Every structure is written in C-alpha cells, then in structure tokens.
Amino acid sequence: MTVSTFDPNSPVINITPPALSYFEKNLKAEQAKGEPKIIRLSTKESGCTGYAYVLDMVLDAEASDKIMSFGDVSLAIAGDAVELLRGTEIDMVTEGVNHVIKFNNPNVVAECGCGESFSVA
C-alpha cells in the first residue's frame, strides 16, 4: 500500500522540453497570423471510462481558469479540471513516424483500450 500526500501548492501541470518546444512553435505560428493565443487544457466527459483531455488554442482564458507560465507559453487550466489534472506531465513522444502529445497523469486509475478516455479515483 502506498500513501499519497496532497499538496495544494504543488504545480498542477508540468511540461517536458519537447512538448514545450511544440507549443512554442505552434503559438508563434498563430502570432505570425496576428492572433496571439494561449493553450487551454480542460477535460470533458467522454468514452467508456469517463474523461478525455481537451487541448485548445484560445484567445483568452476563462475567469475560472488557473494560469501557468512556461517560458513564452501560457497554459490555462480549466478550473473544473484542476484536481483531475494535478501532477500531470504533458509530454511529446514519437510513435513510429508520428509525434503525439501524451498526458502522464498520476490520478488516472483506468484507461479505455484505445487510450482516448480515463477515470480517476
């Protein structure tokens, strides 16, 4: 049996250097079009196990969002998703010839077979 300690001051999200580079590149492309945007991470009810991650580029955060900065990247985390996502690491991995954003969420207790949805305790 393991014991986890809840730390309300711990960072909600961490972003690996490859994922940060990916976000920076995409945000710069949007800014070049004259559309400064931020990344917004939320969840939605989905799939057979409960929730799915949603990553969007938006003009502004919502009032209830928690804003985190990673260099030139601002990340807005939906207020209703903060506890589901606390401690999550966002990574960019290579699968074959594809680059894929992965969420390493320590709160996940089950995932569907295709990896599109997850559930938490």
Side-chain angles (χ1 to χ4, degrees), residues 4-17:
S4 297
T5 303
F6 174 72
D7 179 359
N9 299 315
S10 67
V12 177
I13 300 291
N14 288 306
I15 301 178
T16 65

Side-chain angles (χ1 to χ4, degrees), residues 9-79:
N9 299 315
S10 67
V12 177
I13 300 291
N14 288 306
I15 301 178
T16 65
L20 185 58
S21 177
Y22 170 80
F23 291 139
E24 287 171 339
K25 178 181 165 188
N26 285 289
L27 287 171
K28 284 180 184 174
E30 291 297 314
Q31 290 170 348
K33 297 178 192 175
E35 300 178 6
K37 294 188 177 179
I38 63 172
I39 303 293
R40 185 167 191 269
L41 175 59
S42 60
T43 57
K44 67 179 181 178
E45 289 188 19
S46 179
C48 54
T49 55
Y51 298 98
Y53 301 103
V54 180
L55 267 177
D56 293 305
M57 281 190 179
V58 297
L59 293 173
D60 293 306
E62 295 184 10
S64 64
D65 289 353
K66 177 173 178 59
I67 308 297
M68 298 184 72
S69 293
F70 300 89
D72 294 334
V73 174
S74 291
L75 176 69
I77 303 160

Side-chain angles (χ1 to χ4, degrees), residues 2 15 23 33-34 50 57 59 62 82 97 100 102 104 112-113:
T2 61
I15 301 178
F23 291 139
K33 297 178 192 175
M57 281 190 179
L59 293 173
E62 295 184 10
V82 168
V97 296
V100 180
K102 290 286 187 178
N104 301 313
C112 67

